[in-house]
Amino acid sequence: MARQGVGRLSHSVCLVLTCLSLALHLILALFCLSVLQTSCVIPPPSSCSSSLSFPGTVPHGKQGRSHSLSSQSSSHKLPVSRMNGDFTKMAAHIDHKVEASFNIVNEKEKDKKLIQTKMATKVSQRISSRSKLEALFSHPLYNLPRKHLLEDDWLLKLNDKSSEDSECEEDGYDRANWTRSADTHPAWLRYHLGISRWELYDRNDPSVAEVTQQMATQRILSAVQKSGGTQLKLIMSFPNYGQALLKPMRQERDAETDFNLFYFSDFERHNAEIAAFHLDRVLGFCRIPPVVGRLINITTEIRAITTDHKLSRTFFTSPVGNLCFHGQCEYYCSTENPVCGRPQVLEVSLASMLPDLSLAPRRSWRSPWRRSYSRTKLAPWEKNPDYCDTVKQTPPYNQGTRLVDLIDMVILDFLMSNMDRHHYETFEKFGNDTFLLHLDNGRAFGRHSVDEPSILVPLRQCCRIRRSTLMRLRLLSLPGFRLSDVMRESLSQDPLESVAPLLSVQHLSVLDRRLKTILQAVHTCLEHHDDVIHDDLQGYDVNLYRH
């Protein structure tokens, strides 16, 4: 009986031990399975909110997951302390593997967060840049009270014809049923009717944005070569009777002008025309007609629709299969200097045409600081440091604002390194008391590695500048309104920016360097002269416009 009792007891003990062993193995299996599932979790795709997270912040949902991971890594050792024997050694071995798996996950998390941080930095830079442009145009210096305009201060006036007399319809063109109501006018006509004695356009006028949008998207009905000029230009017509001046892409955007070339020997750049419009606007001048970039098809949007027989005879196919043409002009219009598509697509700039000369005649003025356009001769201003004293005594520079108007143009040209400003134009109707048109900027932005100090000679010789211009330049030198940043964002609004940046990083950064040079020149003038500032803010509380 005793032996039988001992047998039953040993049998019970074995059964209990067996159950305990199975239970422990089951716990171990469940623990290992949970570890493997945790270490092999695939991170969910990032949402828009996570991609827009900024450096130093944890996207929503990531913090909880990171906390649970750290909790598991710190708490999974707790059961080990309650075990002993071989099972403790096994658990320690598993613990080592688990720790390694968590290290892998953490490394992946770090890489992922690093990528998100970089993306967020780029986004934040774009947001910051955008806010700078908006802040600039919201600044009081860009919202000065407008002068009261009399009837004669408007360039154009509507006549008294009735709507029936204004009806017109031509093949391919929109039906023109224009009345005295601005709602019936196309955008380009509203833009023309907004030209006044003091500005080419109001920056807040929605017609300007409509003009650029339509030039970039409307169907082209006609393409003919513009007569005159040294390089190829075309006049493009649209269904709403608007017209634009086309300049084609002749060289890569980041190609610098050869240092061995004279300033009058370089190709004109389509992107320079676009960038000049934006820079003129950022400076607060508003004296360049609206310009926009566009991709056109040479076959369907020039060759197939042109009625210019001289132009149509110049089309040919290059050895690599690109469609090319060269037109007829004084320079660079030959098979050696063609305009070519890729294979038919061509980048161009389109500048809104000014009112017809029959309606609004313009006068061309020779710049007093015109270059000699000679390889050997110097211009008078290059030989006489007191040249401006003579200019100040010569009409129209001896009265009014003509001299500081010209200095504004000099500042624009120096910033974009335009050495080709031999003439400028004004509207005849306004006489000498009006703004200068900043036309023809195709030779700007040719070099970024060096500056051209001779462009700034009129400012250094005359030591005159508008107060509003100087205050805007100082504003643009501040980090919160940095010129290169606001230009980058302004240019991002152009359609061609989606193809490639209109200005290279070097061309953008050089704007800040040249701005410092201008401000230093003004500072030098203020140290040596008394009558430097032309106070166009007289009567205003200048403190309101300080930054």
Side-chain angles (χ1 to χ4, degrees):
M1 292 291 294
R3 290 181 179 179
Q4 188 177 3
V6 171
R8 289 177 180 175
L9 180 62
S10 61
H11 180 72
S12 300
V13 170
C14 290
L15 184 62
V16 170
L17 290 175
T18 301
C19 292
L20 181 62
S21 177
L22 289 173
L24 290 176
H25 279 81
L26 180 61
I27 292 172
L28 180 61
L30 291 174
F31 181 79
C32 292
L33 181 61
S34 65
V35 169
L36 290 173
Q37 288 178 342
T38 304
S39 62
C40 296
V41 157
I42 299 175
S46 59
S47 64
C48 295
S49 59
S50 64
S51 65
L52 291 175
S53 59
F54 291 94
T57 64
V58 180
H60 180 69
K62 295 288 179 68
Q63 189 172 3
R65 181 163 180 257
S66 299
H67 178 70
S68 65
L69 288 176
S70 61
S71 299
Q72 290 176 16
S73 63
S74 61
S75 63
H76 75 273
K77 295 183 180 180
L78 293 178
V80 177
S81 61
R82 299 171 186 168
M83 300 177 186
N84 49 43
D86 294 336
F87 186 73
T88 304
K89 294 180 181 179
M90 289 176 59
H93 180 67
I94 293 172
D95 176 64
H96 177 72
K97 290 187 175 182
V98 171
E99 212 167 28
S101 68
F102 275 117
N103 288 336
I104 295 173
V105 173
N106 288 336
E107 288 298 323
K108 290 181 178 179
E109 287 293 320
K110 287 180 181 179
D111 292 341
K112 184 177 178 183
K113 288 183 179 180
L114 181 61
I115 294 172
Q116 290 176 339
T117 300
K118 291 181 178 179
M119 292 174 62
T121 302
K122 292 181 179 180
V123 172
S124 63
Q125 287 174 347
R126 291 186 64 183
I127 293 174
S128 175
S129 175
R130 185 179 300 115
S131 65
K132 286 181 181 180
L133 184 64
E134 292 175 354
L136 181 75
F137 286 152
S138 299
H139 194 279
L141 281 171
Y142 287 81
N143 295 276
L144 295 170
R146 301 183 69 188
K147 294 183 179 181
H148 177 68
L149 297 175
L150 304 175
E151 187 177 354
D152 289 339
D153 291 332
W154 298 101
L155 180 64
L156 300 175
K157 292 189 297 183
L158 290 173
N159 56 33
D160 295 326
K161 288 184 179 181
S162 64
S163 60
E164 288 78 18
D165 295 331
S166 300
E167 286 187 3
C168 179
E169 186 172 6
E170 295 183 31
D171 186 29
Y173 287 86
D174 298 338
R175 183 178 180 84
N177 188 14
W178 306 337
T179 68
R180 296 185 65 84
S181 172
D183 295 336
T184 66
H185 302 158
W188 65 265
L189 180 55
R190 295 197 304 272
Y191 152 60
H192 284 178
L193 292 172
I195 300 174
S196 72
R197 179 185 296 273
W198 308 115
E199 60 186 1
L200 185 61
Y201 62 88
D202 178 4
R203 181 176 49 80
N204 296 315
D205 183 3
S207 300
V208 176
E210 289 183 51
V211 168
T212 56
Q213 190 271 339
Q214 290 175 2
M215 287 192 297
T217 58
Q218 275 196 325
R219 182 167 55 96
I220 298 173
L221 292 184
S222 171
V224 295
Q225 187 169 343
K226 185 180 184 297
S227 59
T230 59
Q231 300 194 31
L232 176 67
K233 294 180 283 288
L234 303 179
I235 297 178
M236 317 300 281
S237 299
F238 303 104
N240 65 353
Y241 293 91
Q243 289 186 320
L245 183 68
L246 179 150
K247 289 190 177 182
M249 181 178 184
R250 302 296 296 263
Q251 54 189 332
E252 297 299 326
R253 300 178 190 181
D254 56 352
E256 275 203 283
T257 301
D258 190 334
F259 288 94
N260 292 312
L261 292 180
F262 287 91
Y263 50 86
F264 49 82
S265 302
D266 193 18
F267 284 124
E268 291 188 338
R269 293 172 171 77
H270 71 301
N271 61 313
E273 292 286 356
I274 301 168
F277 164 65
H278 286 266
L279 179 59
D280 181 80
R281 182 170 166 263
V282 163
L283 293 173
F285 295 152
C286 299
R287 299 166 197 168
I288 294 180
V291 186
V292 70
R294 177 168 175 167
L295 291 174
I296 65 169
N297 186 296
I298 298 178
T299 299
T300 60
E301 296 180 301
I302 298 181
R303 188 176 190 177
I305 61 176
T306 185
T307 57
D308 189 331
H309 299 295
K310 292 183 179 179
L311 175 64
S312 61
R313 287 197 294 265
T314 66
F315 285 89
F316 64 94
T317 301
S318 73
V320 294
N322 294 331
L323 183 59
C324 306
F325 66 102
H326 55 74
Q328 295 183 359
C329 59
E330 292 184 29
Y331 305 103
Y332 311 119
C333 286
S334 64
T335 53
E336 291 77 22
N337 296 288
V339 174
C340 295
R342 296 179 178 178
Q344 301 182 48
V345 177
L346 176 67
E347 284 188 27
V348 301
S349 67
L350 293 170
S352 179
M353 298 290 287
L354 292 170
D356 192 82
L357 292 174
S358 62
L359 299 174
R362 301 192 299 272
R363 178 173 177 179
S364 179
W365 302 78
R366 179 169 173 157
S367 172
W369 281 271
R370 180 184 184 273
R371 299 179 185 276
S372 65
Y373 287 84
S374 168
R375 294 178 176 85
T376 56
K377 295 180 181 179
L378 295 177
W381 57 269
E382 294 178 286
K383 297 180 289 186
N384 180 11
D386 299 322
Y387 177 77
C388 187
D389 294 339
T390 304
V391 175
K392 287 179 178 179
Q393 299 172 9
T394 306
Y397 305 99
N398 61 343
Q399 59 183 353
T401 62
R402 180 59 62 89
L403 182 59
V404 289
D405 286 334
L406 190 138
I407 297 300
D408 283 348
M409 186 168 61
V410 165
I411 289 170
L412 172 70
D413 285 338
F414 179 74
L415 286 171
M416 58 186 186
S417 193
N418 180 21
M419 301 174 66
D420 194 34
R421 189 72 68 187
H422 45 83
H423 286 79
Y424 62 87
E425 294 184 17
T426 60
F427 290 110
E428 279 189 3
K429 177 181 179 179
F430 302 136
N432 296 335
D433 195 16
T434 186
F435 66 93
L436 313 185
L437 290 163
H438 300 166
L439 305 177
D440 199 8
N441 304 288
R443 285 200 170 111
F445 295 104
R447 291 175 183 155
H448 55 72
S449 55
V450 295
D451 302 337
E452 182 49 56
S454 63
I455 302 175
L456 213 54
V457 165
L459 173 61
R460 291 196 167 102
Q461 288 184 347
C462 299
C463 278
R464 290 284 284 170
I465 189 172
R466 270 190 173 90
R467 182 182 296 278
S468 61
T469 299
L470 177 58
M471 294 182 74
R472 287 191 187 110
L473 293 177
R474 287 173 174 169
L475 183 67
L476 290 165
S477 68
L478 300 177
F481 302 95
R482 186 176 288 110
L483 179 56
S484 59
D485 290 340
V486 294
M487 267 295 288
R488 182 183 293 106
E489 198 225 326
S490 186
L491 289 171
S492 69
Q493 301 168 0
D494 190 89
L496 285 185
E497 187 75 10
S498 62
V499 179
L502 283 163
L503 288 182
S504 65
V505 174
Q506 294 89 340
H507 274 302
L508 286 170
S509 62
V510 80
L511 292 172
D512 300 323
R513 183 183 75 208
R514 290 169 181 166
L515 177 56
K516 290 180 182 178
T517 302
I518 295 171
L519 292 175
Q520 182 58 49
V522 175
H523 179 71
T524 302
C525 286
L526 290 170
E527 286 182 331
H528 296 88
H529 302 275
D530 295 327
D531 190 21
V532 175
I533 306 297
H534 173 79
D535 195 0
D536 60 329
L537 297 179
Q538 193 171 9
Y540 302 121
D541 184 359
V542 180
N543 292 322
L544 295 175
Y545 306 108
R546 296 191 183 279
H547 29 272

